[in-house]
Amino acid sequence: MEAVLELTKDNIQDVVDASMKQIVVLAFWSQQSPESVALSQTLTGMAQKQFGRFVLAKVDCDKEIEIANYFQIQNMPTTLVLSEGKPIDGFAGLQEEEQIAAMLDKHLPAQWQLQLNEAKNLLALQDAEPALVLLKQAYTESPNAEIALVYADACLMLDDFEFAAELLATVGLADQDSYYQSLKAKLALALDAADSPEIRQLQQLVDNEPDNITQLLLLVKALHQAKRNEEALAILFSPLSKDIGVANGDAKQLFLEILTALGQGNTLANQYRRKLYSLLY
């Protein structure tokens, strides 16, 4: 349903039905009342800014007298909050946006809950990248276990095993349900698959010859390909911190390529980008 609509006799049943699942704000107004026109504009702006949190149904009482009478409207403006077909709150007269927001917040879902729900829908369609954007915003607002689990699920879909592991580590015992257990199992399988014989062999060679930069670069490339980027960057940063031009600049070039592949918004990339800048400047 649209964020803002005009309530009439023709669509009133649709609006009442919508209130069974979502808060509907009824704004009774009249062109004869400047205050109600001003309030209607304020509510319209709020509904558009908070799209998805509530539906604003505006009632032009000059045209829809029957609807106004049904709700026993005595004064203009009057605002009612409708839930499950019944008024549960409201106010008469003009109020500031901050006062209205405080009243509505008692009844509306948090923004993070809406973002989480939308992310779940996207993940059900295997569309993980836009879901990840919503989950990052939701987790920033409210870093709770409910979001962390879905966030970890999205990370696993996108092969970001390290951050998925970090998120799962934040989930307390009380929230370690069957969903959590399934994600832990997915992560374990992904990490096992990423620990190939080639990587183990390269790791052994680097352990035996820690100053062999050629072997080290091969190990870093293999780790990056296996999505084990935190390990790759940590290993590569060690020789770079001693000599930024090591391996004729190949090490720095590989380091930058991994950061670029991770993307601008990646937390790990940003962390190591700052470390690199500290060496350069």
Side-chain angles (χ1 to χ4, degrees), residues 12-160:
I12 188 168
Q13 190 57 52
D14 292 337
V15 172
V16 171
D17 291 345
S19 75
M20 297 297 172
K21 299 179 181 179
Q22 187 176 16
I23 291 293
V24 174
V25 176
L26 299 178
F28 295 88
W29 70 285
S30 166
Q31 288 285 1
Q32 312 305 315
S33 167
E35 283 190 344
S36 69
V37 173
L39 181 60
S40 176
Q41 292 171 344
T42 297
L43 289 168
T44 298
M46 293 177 68
Q48 290 170 341
K49 283 190 293 185
Q50 302 187 46
F51 180 72
R53 291 190 80 200
F54 68 93
V55 172
L56 174 64
K58 301 194 292 184
V59 185
D60 184 346
C61 294
D62 298 328
K63 298 177 182 177
E64 303 296 338
I65 299 173
E66 290 180 32
I67 296 176
N69 289 338
Y70 175 81
F71 284 98
Q72 301 179 343
I73 302 304
Q74 303 294 324
N75 302 300
M76 296 293 160
T78 294
T79 304
L80 297 178
V81 178
L82 203 66
S83 176
E84 298 183 352
K86 303 172 187 176
I88 57 170
D89 208 340
F91 59 89
L94 188 63
Q95 289 198 13
E96 297 296 324
E97 182 171 339
E98 292 76 12
Q99 295 172 292
I100 301 169
M103 184 271 290
L104 290 177
D105 280 345
K106 294 185 293 182
H107 309 290
L108 297 178
Q111 190 66 37
W112 68 261
Q113 186 67 61
L114 295 173
Q115 291 167 331
L116 177 61
N117 292 341
E118 179 60 23
K120 287 179 179 179
N121 292 335
L122 289 167
L123 290 182
L125 298 172
Q126 300 297 309
D127 201 358
E129 289 192 5
L132 200 69
V133 174
L134 290 169
L135 291 164
K136 182 177 181 180
Q137 294 169 348
Y139 196 68
T140 299
E141 180 184 339
S142 179
N144 61 61
E146 186 180 5
I147 302 172
L149 290 172
V150 183
Y151 199 175
D153 201 352
C155 288
L156 287 171
M157 285 187 184
L158 295 169
D159 295 334
D160 188 351

